[in-house]
Amino acid sequence: RVMTLRRIRAVYMRGGTSRALFFHAEDLPASRPARDRILAAALGSPDPYGRQLDGLGGGISSLSKACIIAPATHPEADVDYTFAQVDVRTGLVDYAGNCGNCSAAVGPFAIDEKLVALPAGDLGEAVVRIHNTNTRKLIVAHVPVKDGRAAVEGDFELPGVPGRGARIALDFLDPGGAVTGRLLPTGRPRDLVAGVEASLVDATNPMVFVRAADLGLRGSELPEVVDADLTLAERLEGIRTEAARLMGVPSGPAVPKVAFVAGPEPFAALDGRAHAAEDHDIQARVISMGRCHRAFALTAAMCLAVAAQIEGTVVQECLRAPAAGPVRLGHPSGVLPVAARVERRDGRPHAEQVTVYRTARRLMEGFVLVP
């Protein structure tokens, strides 16, 4: 029989250090199984070879993502945004958490698709209030605009992305308890998990933080070194799975993520640039979908910045000094500053806001074809 291809309106975008296919919700089936089949096929999963050669994915978790945009259902938002992480090999679509990098592209998408009205006079910046349906949290995007569209050119350099672009500020409001309902899901700043001390923190996404030294690591290892160590991968997955149980999170492939942290020391980034110990406050590597991220996942970095301000966490222990300003995170692609505000309510830490800066760009628009 002749295979027919379905044409679905889509935009391919870079947000921060990730790429994703963007869809209007009205163009996708309401049925989740039918929608998931389309998302997986569009990105080229399942693919036992791990390349996503028959789709638009890139064979790694940061390039196997989809975003679905719809009219706002939250009274304080302009648009709804649903994030989908597609497993490269199995095609499983995970909606358990959000993607901070993809969040950076939601504002520009909404502006260019005329889903939000620009301020009169085109004053140079539009504020887009985004309701992330995965976490039920609000994100405020400050997007530079030019000639009625999201601006692309600018002087902001983002580690992990070549060149410079227009800086987008993202305010993640009240990020604590995004998935579990509690900033510290166990009520403690550290727990014993699979034989190691770990801090289980849920801010923008649930995270498991362990010391690099407890795994026999320095914390400055390059991603390919981490990925090549199968024994380490098995141990980290064991820690992640046990932590998910303690946090009350179903252990899907995307959430929670696990990261190992260490104090600052000189390191060379993937672009060859040397970074001195004085350039950053902490080093960390994050594992997502079984692979070490080449650029630290943004929601993981935001959670780390929050954890850095919670007394007793292994993150704060590894920090050069108590963070008074943005935490400067050393990761494989360079140094990332993340500003978090944590206060105390009823004797407990409460995450008020996390602010990060990204760039985004529309790469392709038209139709994606799926069987």
Side-chain angles (χ1 to χ4, degrees):
R1 64 186 177 88
V2 177
M3 177 184 290
T4 58
L5 295 175
R6 180 174 179 178
R7 301 170 77 245
I8 303 170
R9 182 172 51 147
V11 175
Y12 200 39
M13 297 195 71
R14 177 186 62 78
T17 54
S18 291
R19 289 201 308 256
L21 273 172
F22 275 67
F23 297 92
H24 290 271
E26 64 185 17
D27 294 330
L28 295 173
S31 162
R32 176 169 168 175
R35 180 184 65 199
D36 289 358
R37 282 194 295 271
I38 287 173
L39 299 183
L43 288 164
S45 291
D47 184 352
Y49 301 102
R51 299 177 64 192
Q52 292 181 313
L53 192 61
D54 200 35
L56 292 171
I60 56 176
S61 63
S62 59
L63 307 179
S64 185
K65 302 179 176 184
C67 301
I68 304 167
I69 312 300
T73 58
H74 191 289
E76 298 179 27
D78 299 309
V79 293
D80 274 5
Y81 147 57
T82 301
F83 170 68
Q85 177 76 62
V86 178
D87 186 81
V88 173
R89 292 182 179 274
T90 69
L92 174 70
V93 183
D94 193 316
Y95 297 93
N98 183 24
C99 171
N101 279 297
C102 289
S103 298
V106 175
F109 177 87
I111 291 168
D112 291 347
E113 295 291 305
K114 311 300 182 186
L115 300 178
V116 296
L118 292 179
D122 202 3
L123 299 178
E125 180 182 278
V127 176
V128 182
R129 297 181 67 87
I130 302 161
H131 172 223
N132 176 241
T133 65
N134 307 76
T135 61
R136 302 176 299 282
K137 298 290 186 177
L138 286 176
I139 307 165
V140 181
H142 304 264
V143 184
V145 292
K146 183 178 181 180
D147 300 327
R149 295 182 65 87
V152 174
E153 295 181 340
D155 58 5
F156 182 68
E157 184 176 1
L158 178 64
V161 179
R164 299 173 185 267
R167 192 187 78 169
I168 299 168
L170 295 172
D171 298 328
F172 289 75
L173 307 183
D174 189 25
V179 173
T180 67
R182 302 180 70 186
L183 177 59
L184 297 177
T186 67
R188 298 177 293 272
R190 66 176 75 182
D191 293 91
L192 190 64
V193 181
V196 298
E197 280 194 320
S199 291
L200 313 183
V201 185
D202 180 5
T204 68
N205 266 343
M207 286 293 303
V208 185
F209 297 105
V210 297
R211 301 183 193 91
D214 289 344
L215 303 172
L217 302 171
R218 296 182 61 87
S220 57
E221 288 79 5
L222 291 175
E224 56 264 31
V225 174
V226 177
D227 289 341
D229 191 336
L230 301 183
T231 301
L232 174 63
E234 184 177 353
R235 188 175 184 193
L236 286 169
E237 181 60 17
I239 293 170
R240 192 187 75 85
T241 302
E242 175 65 12
R245 185 187 66 78
L246 292 172
M247 299 170 90
V249 177
S251 185
V255 173
K257 290 178 172 59
V258 60
F260 53 87
V261 296
E265 67 172 43
F267 74 97
L270 291 170
D271 63 357
R273 188 179 305 181
H275 293 273
E278 295 74 23
D279 293 343
H280 54 290
D281 305 308
I282 193 169
Q283 284 208 82
R285 304 291 184 262
V286 65
I287 309 301
S288 177
M289 310 291 280
R291 302 283 297 276
C292 182
H293 259 258
R294 297 174 68 82
F296 207 87
L298 189 56
T299 51
M302 290 187 281
C303 190
L304 181 146
V306 169
Q309 297 193 36
I310 300 176
E311 187 175 352
T313 64
V314 297
V315 176
Q316 189 179 81
E317 175 190 308
C318 291
L319 203 66
R320 179 199 307 277
V327 173
R328 298 174 301 165
L329 168 62
H331 65 112
S333 290
V335 177
L336 170 65
V338 187
R341 190 168 78 244
V342 179
E343 299 180 357
R344 295 194 72 81
R345 290 188 184 177
D346 301 322
R348 297 177 179 177
H350 180 86
E352 299 283 341
Q353 178 176 313
V354 182
T355 299
V356 294
Y357 302 97
R358 301 275 94 177
T359 61
R361 188 166 82 82
R362 196 177 181 97
L363 301 176
M364 184 176 288
E365 58 189 10
F367 299 88
V368 64
L369 305 178
V370 297

